[in-house]
Amino acid sequence: WRIAFSGMGMDLGIALWAQFELIKTFQVNGSQYADIKIPENLKLNDLLNALIPHIDLHEVHEVIPSMEEIFIQSVQQFNQSHE
């Protein structure tokens, strides 16, 4: 998932702590963004409940990988399992 937010990066880290995986953070034209992976046993609502007390959310949307990214990931997983 990708979120646009305002607040301190440290507050984002506190909100995600051990339940979610922060993939990356970046800025575009002064706006802060973060890509976050939600574990299979949790839902988007769990992420939102963790974030809302710590940062101001401006946007939330699902990041869907491209076919190229899926192919590369599949090849890497295959290679790792056959080393």
Side-chain angles (χ1 to χ4, degrees):
W1 290 88
R2 177 165 293 155
I3 63 166
F5 70 99
S6 58
M8 300 291 292
M10 186 168 43
D11 292 335
L12 175 65
I14 291 168
L16 298 176
W17 194 239
Q19 292 183 351
F20 305 96
E21 181 182 349
L22 178 62
I23 306 297
K24 67 179 177 178
T25 60
F26 58 98
Q27 289 190 359
V28 177
N29 298 327
S31 296
Q32 297 181 84
Y33 295 88
D35 288 353
I36 301 167
K37 183 176 180 182
I38 300 174
E40 290 184 22
N41 63 325
L42 297 175
K43 297 182 252 180
L44 176 59
N45 285 351
D46 299 314
L47 174 62
L48 296 176
N49 285 333
L51 293 173
I52 288 171
H54 299 281
I55 60 172
D56 292 326
L57 292 170
H58 303 288
E59 179 182 327
V60 177
H61 69 270
E62 187 172 12
V63 176
I64 300 173
S66 68
M67 291 301 292
E68 180 181 359
E69 292 168 327
I70 292 170
F71 175 77
I72 290 170
Q73 183 182 21
S74 296
V75 170
Q76 289 173 340
Q77 288 175 348
F78 177 83
N79 288 341
Q80 288 176 353
S81 66
H82 290 85
E83 287 182 344

